Amino acid sequence: MCSSDLAERRASISLERVEVRDAQVAGVRVMGGTITADRLVVHGGPMVGIVLSDKATGTLSRCEVAEIGRVGITVAGAGTAPELRDTTVRDGAGTGILVSEDASPTLQRCTVSGHAGAGIDVCTGADPMVRDCTVDRKGTRLNSSHLV
């Protein structure tokens, strides 16, 4: 777990053509930093594929998150405003993309498919921009709260 000092210093990470398999908690987690990811693949794992929180920013481009147990991608916290472009989130046992706690991501040309839960779950206070995306099966759910 990162200390709050690290998050306040705005850590950053660049990932290009990286594959993460079967992570036990989160495949990639960015708290209060900046991520630049191109062709990142996160596959398998019982919890969450990617977590972006605590004012995290940056871009996920041409990434794939697949077969995750709870949530494919979580975007949470005021000031958390990443851009997800041309990214696929598929075949999860829970929710595809969870946007909560005043987060404001931009989802552009993304595909969310084959989830047992909602494709995109938008909770109270969240303000995502969803543009030119494809969501199948369960679709998008807008709620006042999210219970895990």
Side-chain angles (χ1 to χ4, degrees), residues 73-86:
I73 299 175
T74 295
V75 183
T80 303
E83 182 176 349
L84 284 67
R85 285 191 310 241
D86 303 305

Side-chain angles (χ1 to χ4, degrees), residues 48-112:
V48 182
I50 299 172
V51 177
L52 306 171
S53 65
D54 302 313
K55 300 182 182 177
T57 60
T59 304
L60 291 135
S61 181
R62 299 179 289 185
C63 298
E64 179 179 89
V65 178
E67 299 180 16
I68 304 297
R70 281 198 162 170
V71 179
I73 299 175
T74 295
V75 183
T80 303
E83 182 176 349
L84 284 67
R85 285 191 310 241
D86 303 305
T87 291
T88 299
V89 185
R90 64 176 178 81
D91 302 326
T95 297
I97 299 173
L98 171 63
V99 183
S100 66
E101 302 170 19
D102 300 318
S104 55
T106 299
L107 311 176
Q108 187 169 331
R109 296 182 309 272
C110 294
T111 300
V112 184

Side-chain angles (χ1 to χ4, degrees), residues 12-69:
S12 65
I13 187 169
S14 294
L15 303 166
E16 187 172 340
R17 294 186 175 133
V18 172
E19 186 170 325
V20 178
R21 288 200 167 269
D22 302 318
Q24 291 305 298
V25 177
V28 174
R29 183 177 74 175
V30 177
M31 298 173 63
T34 301
I35 184 170
T36 303
D38 185 37
R39 297 183 191 129
L40 167 67
V41 174
V42 179
H43 189 275
M47 300 298 286
V48 182
I50 299 172
V51 177
L52 306 171
S53 65
D54 302 313
K55 300 182 182 177
T57 60
T59 304
L60 291 135
S61 181
R62 299 179 289 185
C63 298
E64 179 179 89
V65 178
E67 299 180 16
I68 304 297

